[in-house]
Amino acid sequence: MTAVRRAPPATAAAAALVAGLAVLPLGYLVLRASEVGFSRAADLVLNERTLRLLGNSLGLAAATTVTAVAIGVPVAWLTTRTDLPGRRALTVVTALPLAVPSYVAALAVIAAFGPRGALARWLGPLGVDALPEVYGFVGAWLALSLSTFPYVTLTVRGSLRRLDPALEEVSRSLGATPFETFRRVTLPQLRPAVAAGALLVALYTLADFGGVSLLRFDTFTRVVYVQYRGSLDRSGAAVLALVLAAVSLTVVAAEARTRTRARVAAARTARTARLVHLGRWRAPATALLAVLAVVALVVPVATLVTWLVLGAREGIDLGETAAAAGRSARVSAGGALAALVAAWPVAALASRHPGRLARWTERLSYAGYALPGLVVALSLVFFGARVARPLYQTVGMLVLAYLVLFLPQAIGALRTTLGQISPTLEDASRSLGAGPLATARRVLLPLVRPGATAAFALVFLTAMKELPAALLLGPTGYDTLATRVWATTSEGFFGRAAAPALLLIVVSSVPLAFLALRDERA
Amino acid sequence: MLLRRTLTAAVAATVALATLAGCSGDDGPSLTVYSGRTADLVGPLFDRFEATSGIKVKVRYGDSAEVSGAVLEEGDRPKADVLIVQDAGNLGQVNDAGRLAPLPQAAVDKVPAEFRSPAGRWVGLSGRSRVVAYNTDTVSQADLPATVDGFTDPRWKGRLAWAPTNGSFQAFVTAFRVLEGQDKAEAWLRGIKANEPRVFPNNISIVEAVGKGEVDAGFVNHYYLFRLRAEGRAGKAENKYFPAGDPGGLVNVAGAGVLQGSKKAADATRLVEFLLSDESQRYFAERTFELPVVPSVQADPQLPDIEKLAKPEVELAQLDDAKGTVDLLTRLQIL
């Protein structure tokens, strides 16, 4: 291991600036919460219900995270390292569930597994007349697991592509089977990436509202929304949101602890690993991924298609929907790019110059992501209307919101990849006379590209379906696919929601397909 | 190098877009509306106003509580000129924060006193009655209780649906507290809770579940039935209206106000007046199946007349204690 070196001042300053942006919502919450008297704050927080809801939230987050890892890691390995047929298509298909808004995933779960759903209709004639209750924990767990496992897949893929295949080859040559090699050699090296993906899943679950409210599972985030929507009680909601933030940042700290114990072998080459031949496992592996694709993507899409048929008689405004798709794609790409640029110094600090500064800038960067979306959007309304007036209600404001909301997705993917690149490569470049920027461009960027690609894709997909910020912070009248879906479903016009929701999935698949293919060639 | 170029490009693009967005507003008179009602429901009215007045209307659509929240966060530097929301409660809260400007008396007088703010800061635009949606296969007319109290009877155990997080439901609970007192409201909530109602996220999903027979009856607003029928998804659902004076039949309104600090107050007032015109009121009756608030306009023939419906005996402006209702529902572990 190389000794820890002091962070360059420019990197440290940039990271601190980024962390400052990310804690804007927290600052707003502290301001609002301070307006509540101590006794009301205590009433709101210190009761049996709070404990029960926190238990529900943490239980759901734990179950969802374990499931997402159990699905996500094998999918990443099968699509990057094996001769699975249709790998590239499956790469795209297994990432797409991220583009399904969680309330659409929830509606699909109800349509498939609900009391009068498809499964009940198929099993009915076979004498099965009672399915486990889908509403509550089971449904929320299913819907969230199926829509978040790509966080793990995408983060792990980026890391898998940077692993030094030599270690695995040694393991194989010493007689270990491919699966033993995966378990004992590959998996330990993937641990930081798995943990980073798992953290994204856990925090997403803690902050989700759409899915849990449709599936009627009581979580802490749902209560924050109820407090706000019911009575516009900004201060009461802020007190509760701060509790959630404290819990989430504890989870972030816990993840960081597992990381310090994990040692990562730095890749010294960018050589691509040889593909594992699945042999007789080919068919079952393909079947498994096909089932996953059906449940996580085909069922939601089929649900939307039935809506489309219902709505067709009212007519669909294709021109307007296409224009909204363009706006969605542009602003999400802008947000993804901004998050990527902002994540760089934080990730560089965390992976290269561990220490108190790195620890704190990284942890604080998670603040926006760990809060309910509505809370973050309103905090930025406050900031925009009073401080950043020229930026307020412009596309730039929306891009800033996506940076604040989704920064951790980019940091997670970038940091794990940067951590795999030995600093000696940079040292060599510098000693041969290249400046810091030339080194970044010619040495670091090519090596970090898979991670950067994953980071971009994660933020882009999440931004595409984001709602509260899109409604409150963009230019007036700037409707996107997500706001169009919201506008129609909230009043029960499901038929008209289908076209924008389907287009949301299609538009999301285009950059994913492009990135996946480029990734293959790289 | 690449990094710096990317960064520069991103900054330049942001600035360019921000400038573009800033420039587009200078072509003739315009108004900005924050609307808690969706474009499907009120968009055609804004188009019509633009055509007749020559004033361009820029609308930010969102959830009622969310756009009201944005108004509160913007404080004395509002971006919007007019606020339109689903629920009189939200208007009351925004008004309590001092964010609404007085409306001209002529406009205020068009609306019956119970459907507007006493000080003339906001007016109702269209009414919605609380009803019970029931499944005609599993519930006969004779089985239905005459008042909303009847649903606390144990024979309704396991057959009901409600949406306690929904704003209209909470407004109904507030009305119950105002009309019959805190104790009776609490007793009713306990009674319904003992019947183990299924919890839904909103009205529309209740009406759909009632139509499919997943539940026998649910507490909702009257118009969802008609909207689902228009999409062919109402199934066997039907509405039960309550008699005058029953809190179960509260008529709430979606309404509007002009924001304090708006620099276009005159044009903003014109828009509110337009929304109270016979033409707009007929639109609410025919297109959204709501109840016109201006007495000269008739409701859709499928609906009972607003006058015959629960004359609520409570002014909507009195329903401003939403916090008390949220606290009550929380204490009873309903929320």
Coordinates of all heavy atoms in Angstrom, one line a residue, chain A residues 28 32 48-49 116 216 222 226 228-230 232 234 310 314 341 374 382 386 389 392-393 396 445 471-472 474-477 486-488 491-494 496, chain B residues 1-2 7 14 34 38 40-41 59-63 65-66 69 73-75 77 79 86 93 165 170 198-201 214 227 231 233 322 327 330 333 335:
Chain A
Y28 N -32.0 23.7 5.8 CA -33.4 24.2 5.7 C -34.2 23.5 6.8 O -35.0 24.1 7.5 CB -34.0 23.9 4.3 CG -35.5 23.9 4.3 CD1 -36.2 25.1 4.1 CD2 -36.2 22.7 4.4 CE1 -37.6 25.1 4.0 CE2 -37.6 22.7 4.3 CZ -38.2 23.9 4.1 OH -39.6 23.9 4.0
R32 N -36.4 25.1 9.9 CA -37.9 24.9 10.0 C -38.2 24.2 11.4 O -39.1 24.6 12.1 CB -38.4 24.1 8.9 CG -38.6 24.8 7.6 CD -40.0 25.6 7.6 NE -40.0 26.5 6.5 CZ -39.8 27.8 6.5 NH1 -39.6 28.3 7.7 NH2 -39.9 28.5 5.5
E48 N -44.6 5.9 20.8 CA -44.5 4.5 20.4 C -44.6 4.4 18.9 O -44.0 3.5 18.3 CB -45.6 3.8 21.2 CG -45.9 2.4 20.8 CD -47.1 2.2 19.9 OE1 -47.9 3.2 19.8 OE2 -47.3 1.2 19.3
R49 N -45.4 5.3 18.3 CA -45.6 5.2 16.9 C -44.3 5.4 16.1 O -44.0 4.7 15.1 CB -46.6 6.2 16.4 CG -46.9 6.2 14.9 CD -47.9 7.3 14.5 NE -47.2 8.6 14.6 CZ -47.3 9.5 13.7 NH1 -48.0 9.4 12.7 NH2 -46.7 10.7 13.9
R116 N -57.1 -9.9 -7.0 CA -57.7 -10.2 -8.3 C -56.7 -10.1 -9.4 O -57.1 -9.9 -10.6 CB -58.9 -9.3 -8.5 CG -60.2 -9.9 -7.8 CD -61.2 -8.8 -7.6 NE -62.3 -9.3 -6.8 CZ -62.2 -9.6 -5.5 NH1 -61.1 -9.4 -4.9 NH2 -63.2 -10.1 -4.8
R216 N -49.7 0.4 0.7 CA -50.2 0.5 2.1 C -49.3 0.0 3.1 O -49.7 -0.8 4.0 CB -51.6 -0.1 2.2 CG -52.6 0.4 1.2 CD -53.8 -0.4 1.3 NE -54.5 -0.5 0.0 CZ -55.3 -1.5 -0.3 NH1 -55.6 -2.4 0.5 NH2 -55.9 -1.4 -1.5
R222 N -43.6 8.0 4.7 CA -45.0 8.2 4.5 C -45.6 9.2 5.5 O -46.4 10.0 5.2 CB -45.7 6.8 4.6 CG -47.2 6.9 4.1 CD -47.8 5.5 3.9 NE -49.2 5.7 3.9 CZ -49.9 5.6 5.0 NH1 -49.4 5.3 6.1 NH2 -51.2 5.7 4.9
V226 N -47.5 12.7 5.1 CA -48.8 12.9 5.7 C -48.9 14.2 6.5 O -49.8 15.0 6.4 CB -49.2 11.7 6.6 CG1 -50.3 12.0 7.5 CG2 -49.6 10.5 5.7
Y228 N -47.0 16.7 6.2 CA -47.0 17.9 5.3 C -48.2 18.1 4.5 O -48.8 19.2 4.5 CB -45.8 17.8 4.3 CG -45.5 19.1 3.8 CD1 -44.6 20.0 4.4 CD2 -46.1 19.6 2.6 CE1 -44.4 21.3 4.0 CE2 -45.9 20.8 2.1 CZ -45.0 21.7 2.8 OH -44.8 22.9 2.4
R229 N -48.7 17.1 3.8 CA -49.8 17.2 3.0 C -51.1 17.5 3.7 O -52.0 18.2 3.3 CB -50.0 16.0 2.1 CG -49.0 15.8 1.1 CD -49.5 15.1 -0.1 NE -48.6 15.1 -1.2 CZ -48.3 14.1 -1.9 NH1 -48.8 12.9 -1.6 NH2 -47.4 14.2 -2.9
G230 N -51.2 16.9 4.9 CA -52.4 17.0 5.7 C -52.7 18.4 6.2 O -53.8 18.9 6.2
L232 N -50.0 21.2 5.9 CA -49.0 22.1 5.5 C -48.1 22.5 6.7 O -47.7 23.6 6.9 CB -49.5 23.4 4.9 CG -50.1 23.3 3.5 CD1 -50.5 24.7 3.0 CD2 -49.2 22.7 2.5
R234 N -45.1 22.6 8.1 CA -43.7 22.5 7.6 C -42.8 22.2 8.8 O -41.9 21.4 8.6 CB -43.3 23.9 7.0 CG -44.1 24.2 5.8 CD -43.6 25.5 5.2 NE -44.1 26.7 6.0 CZ -43.7 27.9 5.7 NH1 -42.8 28.1 4.8 NH2 -44.2 28.9 6.4
L310 N -57.0 1.2 -22.8 CA -58.1 1.9 -22.2 C -58.2 3.4 -22.6 O -59.2 3.9 -22.9 CB -58.0 1.9 -20.7 CG -58.4 0.6 -20.0 CD1 -58.0 0.6 -18.5 CD2 -59.9 0.4 -20.1
E314 N -59.7 7.9 -25.9 CA -59.7 9.3 -25.7 C -58.7 10.1 -26.5 O -58.6 11.3 -26.5 CB -59.4 9.6 -24.2 CG -60.5 9.0 -23.3 CD -60.2 9.4 -21.9 OE1 -59.8 10.5 -21.6 OE2 -60.3 8.5 -21.0
V341 N -19.6 15.4 -12.5 CA -18.6 16.3 -12.3 C -18.4 16.6 -10.8 O -17.3 16.7 -10.3 CB -18.9 17.6 -13.1 CG1 -17.9 18.7 -12.7 CG2 -18.8 17.3 -14.6
L374 N -39.9 15.3 -1.7 CA -40.7 16.6 -1.5 C -39.9 17.5 -0.6 O -39.9 18.7 -0.8 CB -42.0 16.2 -0.9 CG -42.9 17.4 -0.5 CD1 -43.3 18.2 -1.7 CD2 -44.2 16.9 0.1
F382 N -37.2 27.2 -1.2 CA -36.8 28.3 -0.2 C -35.4 28.9 -0.6 O -35.3 30.1 -0.7 CB -36.6 27.6 1.1 CG -36.2 28.5 2.3 CD1 -37.1 29.3 2.9 CD2 -34.9 28.5 2.7 CE1 -36.7 30.1 3.9 CE2 -34.5 29.3 3.7 CZ -35.4 30.1 4.3
R386 N -35.2 32.8 -2.3 CA -34.6 33.8 -1.4 C -33.1 34.1 -1.7 O -32.6 35.2 -1.4 CB -34.8 33.4 0.0 CG -36.2 33.5 0.4 CD -36.5 32.7 1.7 NE -37.9 32.4 1.8 CZ -38.7 32.9 2.7 NH1 -38.3 33.9 3.5 NH2 -40.0 32.6 2.8
R389 N -32.1 33.7 -6.6 CA -33.2 34.2 -7.4 C -33.1 34.0 -8.9 O -34.0 33.6 -9.6 CB -33.5 35.6 -7.0 CG -34.8 36.2 -7.4 CD -36.0 35.7 -6.6 NE -37.2 36.3 -7.1 CZ -38.4 35.9 -6.6 NH1 -38.5 35.0 -5.7 NH2 -39.5 36.5 -7.0
Y392 N -33.6 30.4 -9.9 CA -34.9 29.8 -9.5 C -35.9 29.7 -10.7 O -36.0 30.6 -11.4 CB -35.5 30.7 -8.4 CG -36.8 30.1 -7.8 CD1 -36.9 28.7 -7.4 CD2 -37.9 30.9 -7.6 CE1 -38.0 28.2 -6.8 CE2 -39.1 30.4 -7.0 CZ -39.1 29.0 -6.7 OH -40.3 28.5 -6.1
Q393 N -36.4 28.5 -10.8 CA -37.4 28.1 -11.8 C -36.7 28.3 -13.2 O -37.4 28.7 -14.2 CB -38.7 28.9 -11.7 CG -39.4 28.6 -10.4 CD -40.8 29.2 -10.4 OE1 -41.2 30.0 -11.2 NE2 -41.6 28.8 -9.4
G396 N -31.5 25.3 -15.1 CA -30.3 25.2 -14.2 C -30.7 24.8 -12.8 O -29.9 24.0 -12.2
L445 N -8.8 8.8 -16.7 CA -10.1 8.7 -17.4 C -10.4 7.4 -18.1 O -11.5 6.8 -17.9 CB -10.3 9.9 -18.3 CG -11.0 11.1 -17.7 CD1 -11.3 12.2 -18.7 CD2 -12.3 10.8 -17.0
L471 N -41.7 19.2 -10.6 CA -42.9 20.0 -10.5 C -42.7 21.4 -10.0 O -43.2 22.3 -10.5 CB -43.9 19.3 -9.6 CG -44.7 18.1 -10.1 CD1 -45.5 17.5 -9.0 CD2 -45.6 18.4 -11.3
L472 N -41.8 21.5 -9.0 CA -41.6 22.7 -8.3 C -40.5 23.6 -8.8 O -40.5 24.8 -8.5 CB -41.5 22.5 -6.8 CG -42.7 21.9 -6.1 CD1 -42.4 21.6 -4.6 CD2 -43.9 22.8 -6.2
G474 N -38.4 23.5 -12.0 CA -38.2 23.8 -13.4 C -38.9 25.1 -13.8 O -39.7 25.7 -13.0
P475 N -38.6 25.6 -15.1 CA -39.4 26.7 -15.6 C -40.9 26.4 -15.6 O -41.3 25.2 -15.7 CB -38.9 26.9 -17.0 CG -37.6 26.1 -17.1 CD -37.7 25.0 -16.0
T476 N -41.7 27.4 -15.4 CA -43.1 27.2 -15.3 C -43.6 26.7 -16.7 O -43.2 27.2 -17.7 CB -43.9 28.6 -15.0 OG1 -43.4 29.0 -13.8 CG2 -45.4 28.4 -15.0
G477 N -44.4 25.6 -16.6 CA -44.9 25.0 -17.9 C -43.9 24.0 -18.5 O -44.2 23.5 -19.6
W486 N -47.7 11.9 -13.7 CA -48.3 12.3 -12.4 C -49.6 13.0 -12.7 O -50.6 12.7 -12.0 CB -47.3 13.3 -11.7 CG -48.1 14.0 -10.6 CD1 -48.3 13.6 -9.4 CD2 -48.7 15.3 -10.8 NE1 -49.1 14.5 -8.7 CE2 -49.3 15.6 -9.5 CE3 -48.8 16.2 -11.8 CZ2 -50.0 16.8 -9.3 CZ3 -49.5 17.4 -11.6 CH2 -50.1 17.7 -10.4
A487 N -49.6 13.9 -13.6 CA -50.8 14.7 -13.9 C -52.0 13.8 -14.2 O -53.1 14.1 -13.8 CB -50.6 15.7 -15.0
T488 N -51.8 12.7 -14.9 CA -52.9 11.9 -15.3 C -53.3 10.9 -14.2 O -54.5 10.7 -14.0 CB -52.6 11.2 -16.7 OG1 -51.3 10.7 -16.6 CG2 -52.8 12.1 -17.8
E491 N -55.3 12.1 -11.1 CA -56.8 12.3 -11.2 C -57.5 11.1 -11.7 O -58.6 11.1 -12.0 CB -57.0 13.5 -12.1 CG -56.9 14.9 -11.5 CD -57.8 15.0 -10.3 OE1 -58.9 14.5 -10.2 OE2 -57.4 15.7 -9.3
G492 N -56.7 10.0 -11.8 CA -57.3 8.7 -12.2 C -57.5 8.5 -13.6 O -58.1 7.6 -14.1
F493 N -56.9 9.4 -14.5 CA -56.9 9.1 -15.9 C -55.8 8.2 -16.3 O -54.9 8.6 -17.0 CB -56.8 10.4 -16.7 CG -57.9 11.4 -16.4 CD1 -57.6 12.6 -15.8 CD2 -59.2 11.2 -16.8 CE1 -58.6 13.6 -15.6 CE2 -60.2 12.1 -16.5 CZ -59.9 13.3 -15.9
F494 N -55.9 6.9 -15.9 CA -54.8 6.0 -16.1 C -54.5 5.8 -17.6 O -53.4 5.6 -18.0 CB -55.0 4.7 -15.4 CG -55.0 4.8 -13.9 CD1 -56.2 4.9 -13.2 CD2 -53.8 4.7 -13.3 CE1 -56.1 5.0 -11.8 CE2 -53.8 4.8 -11.9 CZ -54.9 5.0 -11.2
R496 N -54.5 7.9 -20.0 CA -53.6 8.9 -20.6 C -52.2 8.8 -20.0 O -51.3 9.5 -20.5 CB -54.3 10.2 -20.5 CG -55.2 10.6 -21.6 CD -55.8 11.9 -21.4 NE -57.2 11.8 -20.9 CZ -57.8 12.8 -20.3 NH1 -57.3 13.9 -20.2 NH2 -59.1 12.6 -19.9
Chain B
M1 N -8.1 17.9 -18.5 CA -8.5 18.6 -19.7 C -9.9 18.4 -20.1 O -10.7 19.3 -20.2 CB -7.6 18.1 -20.9 CG -6.7 19.1 -21.6 SD -6.8 20.8 -21.2 CE -6.9 21.5 -22.8
L2 N -10.2 17.1 -20.3 CA -11.5 16.7 -20.7 C -12.5 17.1 -19.6 O -13.6 17.6 -19.9 CB -11.6 15.2 -21.0 CG -12.9 14.7 -21.5 CD1 -13.2 15.2 -22.8 CD2 -12.9 13.1 -21.6
L7 N -16.8 20.5 -17.7 CA -17.3 21.4 -16.7 C -17.7 22.7 -17.3 O -18.8 23.2 -17.1 CB -16.2 21.6 -15.6 CG -16.6 22.3 -14.4 CD1 -17.7 21.5 -13.6 CD2 -15.4 22.5 -13.5
T14 N -25.8 25.6 -18.8 CA -26.8 26.0 -17.8 C -27.1 27.5 -17.9 O -28.3 27.9 -17.8 CB -26.1 25.7 -16.4 OG1 -25.7 24.4 -16.4 CG2 -27.1 26.0 -15.3
Y34 N -50.1 29.0 -10.0 CA -49.8 27.7 -9.4 C -51.1 27.0 -9.3 O -52.0 27.4 -8.6 CB -49.1 28.0 -8.0 CG -47.7 28.4 -8.0 CD1 -47.0 28.7 -9.2 CD2 -47.0 28.4 -6.9 CE1 -45.7 29.1 -9.2 CE2 -45.6 28.8 -6.8 CZ -45.0 29.1 -8.0 OH -43.7 29.5 -8.0
T38 N -55.0 19.5 -12.0 CA -54.2 19.1 -13.2 C -54.6 19.8 -14.4 O -55.8 20.3 -14.5 CB -54.2 17.6 -13.3 OG1 -55.5 17.2 -13.6 CG2 -53.7 16.9 -12.1
D40 N -55.5 18.4 -17.2 CA -56.7 17.7 -17.7 C -57.9 18.3 -17.2 O -58.9 18.4 -17.9 CB -56.7 16.2 -17.3 CG -55.8 15.4 -18.3 OD1 -55.9 15.7 -19.5 OD2 -55.0 14.6 -17.8
L41 N -57.9 18.8 -15.9 CA -59.1 19.3 -15.3 C -59.3 20.8 -15.6 O -60.5 21.2 -15.9 CB -59.1 19.1 -13.8 CG -59.1 17.7 -13.3 CD1 -59.1 17.6 -11.8 CD2 -60.4 17.0 -13.8
V59 N -48.7 28.1 -16.4 CA -49.2 27.4 -15.3 C -48.2 26.4 -14.8 O -47.6 25.6 -15.6 CB -50.5 26.6 -15.7 CG1 -51.2 26.1 -14.4 CG2 -51.4 27.4 -16.5
R60 N -48.0 26.4 -13.5 CA -47.2 25.3 -12.8 C -48.1 24.4 -12.1 O -48.8 24.8 -11.2 CB -46.2 26.0 -11.8 CG -45.4 25.0 -11.0 CD -44.4 25.7 -10.1 NE -43.5 26.5 -11.0 CZ -42.4 26.0 -11.6 NH1 -42.1 24.8 -11.4 NH2 -41.7 26.8 -12.3
Y61 N -48.2 23.2 -12.6 CA -49.2 22.2 -12.0 C -48.4 21.4 -10.9 O -47.2 21.2 -11.0 CB -49.7 21.2 -13.1 CG -50.6 21.9 -14.1 CD1 -50.1 22.2 -15.4 CD2 -51.9 22.2 -13.8 CE1 -50.9 22.8 -16.3 CE2 -52.7 22.8 -14.7 CZ -52.2 23.1 -16.0 OH -53.0 23.7 -16.9
G62 N -49.2 21.0 -9.9 CA -48.6 20.2 -8.9 C -49.7 19.8 -7.9 O -50.8 20.0 -8.1
D63 N -49.3 19.0 -6.9 CA -50.2 18.6 -5.9 C -50.6 19.9 -5.1 O -49.8 20.8 -4.9 CB -49.5 17.6 -5.0 CG -50.3 17.2 -3.8 OD1 -50.2 17.8 -2.7 OD2 -51.0 16.1 -3.9
A65 N -51.1 20.6 -1.9 CA -50.3 20.9 -0.7 C -48.9 21.3 -1.2 O -48.3 22.2 -0.6 CB -50.2 19.7 0.2
E66 N -48.4 20.8 -2.3 CA -47.1 21.1 -2.7 C -47.0 22.5 -3.3 O -46.1 23.3 -3.0 CB -46.5 20.0 -3.7 CG -46.3 18.7 -3.0 CD -46.1 17.5 -3.9 OE1 -45.8 17.8 -5.1 OE2 -46.2 16.4 -3.4
G69 N -47.3 24.8 -0.5 CA -46.0 24.8 0.2 C -45.0 25.7 -0.5 O -44.3 26.5 0.1
E73 N -43.0 28.9 1.0 CA -41.6 29.0 1.0 C -41.1 30.3 0.3 O -40.1 30.8 0.6 CB -40.9 27.8 0.4 CG -41.1 26.5 1.2 CD -40.7 26.5 2.6 OE1 -40.0 27.5 3.0 OE2 -41.1 25.6 3.4
E74 N -41.8 30.6 -0.8 CA -41.4 31.8 -1.5 C -41.6 33.1 -0.7 O -41.0 34.1 -0.9 CB -42.1 31.9 -2.9 CG -41.6 30.9 -3.9 CD -42.5 30.9 -5.1 OE1 -43.4 31.8 -5.3 OE2 -42.3 30.0 -6.0
G75 N -42.6 33.0 0.2 CA -42.8 34.1 1.2 C -43.2 35.4 0.5 O -44.1 35.3 -0.4
R77 N -41.8 37.0 -1.7 CA -41.3 37.2 -3.1 C -42.0 36.2 -4.0 O -41.3 35.3 -4.6 CB -39.8 37.1 -3.1 CG -39.1 38.0 -2.1 CD -37.6 38.0 -2.3 NE -37.3 38.7 -3.6 CZ -36.1 38.7 -4.2 NH1 -35.1 38.1 -3.5 NH2 -35.8 39.2 -5.3
K79 N -43.6 34.0 -7.0 CA -43.4 33.9 -8.5 C -44.8 33.8 -9.1 O -44.9 34.1 -10.3 CB -42.6 32.6 -8.8 CG -41.1 32.8 -8.7 CD -40.6 33.3 -10.0 CE -39.0 33.2 -10.0 NZ -38.5 33.6 -11.3
Q86 N -57.2 22.3 -4.7 CA -58.3 21.4 -4.6 C -59.1 21.6 -3.4 O -60.2 21.1 -3.3 CB -57.7 19.9 -4.5 CG -56.9 19.4 -5.7 CD -57.8 18.7 -6.6 OE1 -59.0 19.0 -6.7 NE2 -57.2 17.8 -7.4
Q93 N -55.0 27.9 5.0 CA -53.6 28.0 5.5 C -52.7 29.0 4.9 O -51.9 29.7 5.6 CB -53.0 26.6 5.4 CG -53.6 25.6 6.4 CD -53.8 24.2 5.8 OE1 -53.3 23.9 4.7 NE2 -54.5 23.3 6.6
T165 N -55.2 9.5 4.5 CA -54.2 10.5 4.2 C -54.7 11.6 3.2 O -54.1 12.6 2.9 CB -52.9 9.9 3.6 OG1 -53.4 9.1 2.4 CG2 -52.2 8.9 4.5
Q170 N -59.7 14.3 5.2 CA -59.3 15.1 6.4 C -60.2 16.3 6.6 O -60.6 16.7 7.7 CB -57.8 15.4 6.4 CG -57.0 14.2 6.5 CD -55.5 14.5 6.5 OE1 -55.1 15.6 6.5 NE2 -54.7 13.4 6.5
R198 N -60.3 -1.2 4.9 CA -59.1 -1.3 4.2 C -58.6 0.2 3.9 O -59.4 1.0 3.5 CB -59.3 -2.0 2.8 CG -59.8 -3.4 3.0 CD -58.7 -4.4 2.7 NE -58.1 -4.2 1.3 CZ -58.6 -4.9 0.3 NH1 -59.5 -5.7 0.4 NH2 -58.0 -4.7 -0.9
V199 N -57.3 0.4 4.0 CA -56.7 1.7 3.8 C -56.3 1.9 2.4 O -55.5 1.0 1.8 CB -55.5 1.9 4.8 CG1 -54.9 3.3 4.5 CG2 -56.0 1.9 6.2
F200 N -56.7 2.9 1.7 CA -56.3 3.2 0.3 C -55.5 4.5 0.2 O -55.7 5.4 1.1 CB -57.5 3.2 -0.6 CG -58.1 1.9 -1.0 CD1 -58.8 1.2 0.0 CD2 -57.8 1.3 -2.2 CE1 -59.3 -0.1 -0.4 CE2 -58.3 0.1 -2.5 CZ -59.1 -0.6 -1.6
P201 N -54.7 4.7 -0.8 CA -53.9 5.9 -0.9 C -54.8 7.1 -1.4 O -54.4 8.3 -1.1 CB -52.8 5.6 -1.9 CG -53.4 4.5 -2.7 CD -54.3 3.7 -1.9
E214 N -63.9 -5.5 -4.5 CA -62.9 -5.9 -3.5 C -63.3 -5.4 -2.1 O -62.9 -6.0 -1.1 CB -61.5 -5.2 -3.9 CG -60.9 -5.9 -5.1 CD -59.5 -5.2 -5.5 OE1 -58.9 -4.7 -4.6 OE2 -59.2 -5.3 -6.7
R227 N -66.0 10.0 -13.5 CA -64.7 9.9 -14.3 C -64.3 8.5 -14.7 O -63.9 8.2 -15.8 CB -63.6 10.6 -13.6 CG -63.9 12.1 -13.4 CD -62.7 12.8 -13.0 NE -63.1 14.1 -12.5 CZ -62.5 14.8 -11.5 NH1 -61.4 14.3 -10.9 NH2 -62.9 16.0 -11.2
E231 N -64.1 6.2 -18.5 CA -63.1 5.3 -19.0 C -63.5 3.9 -19.0 O -62.8 3.0 -19.2 CB -61.8 5.5 -18.1 CG -60.9 6.6 -18.5 CD -59.5 6.5 -17.9 OE1 -59.1 5.5 -17.3 OE2 -58.7 7.5 -18.1
R233 N -64.4 2.1 -16.3 CA -63.7 1.3 -15.3 C -64.5 1.4 -13.9 O -63.9 1.1 -12.9 CB -62.3 1.8 -15.1 CG -61.4 1.4 -16.3 CD -60.2 2.2 -16.4 NE -59.4 2.1 -15.1 CZ -58.9 3.2 -14.5 NH1 -59.1 4.4 -15.0 NH2 -58.2 3.1 -13.4
A322 N -56.7 22.1 10.3 CA -56.2 20.8 9.7 C -55.2 20.1 10.7 O -55.2 18.9 10.8 CB -55.6 21.1 8.4
D327 N -53.5 15.7 14.1 CA -53.1 15.2 15.4 C -54.1 14.2 16.0 O -53.7 13.2 16.5 CB -53.1 16.4 16.4 CG -51.8 17.3 16.2 OD1 -50.9 16.8 15.4 OD2 -51.8 18.4 16.8
T330 N -53.6 11.0 14.1 CA -52.4 10.4 14.6 C -52.5 9.7 15.9 O -52.1 8.6 16.1 CB -51.3 11.4 14.6 OG1 -51.2 12.1 13.4 CG2 -49.9 10.8 15.0
Q333 N -54.1 6.5 15.9 CA -53.3 5.5 15.1 C -54.0 5.2 13.8 O -54.0 4.0 13.3 CB -52.9 4.3 15.9 CG -52.2 4.6 17.1 CD -51.4 3.4 17.7 OE1 -51.5 2.3 17.2 NE2 -50.5 3.7 18.6
L335 N -53.5 7.5 11.1 CA -52.5 8.0 10.2 C -51.2 7.3 10.5 O -50.8 7.0 11.6 CB -52.3 9.5 10.3 CG -53.3 10.3 9.6 CD1 -52.9 11.8 9.7 CD2 -53.4 10.0 8.1

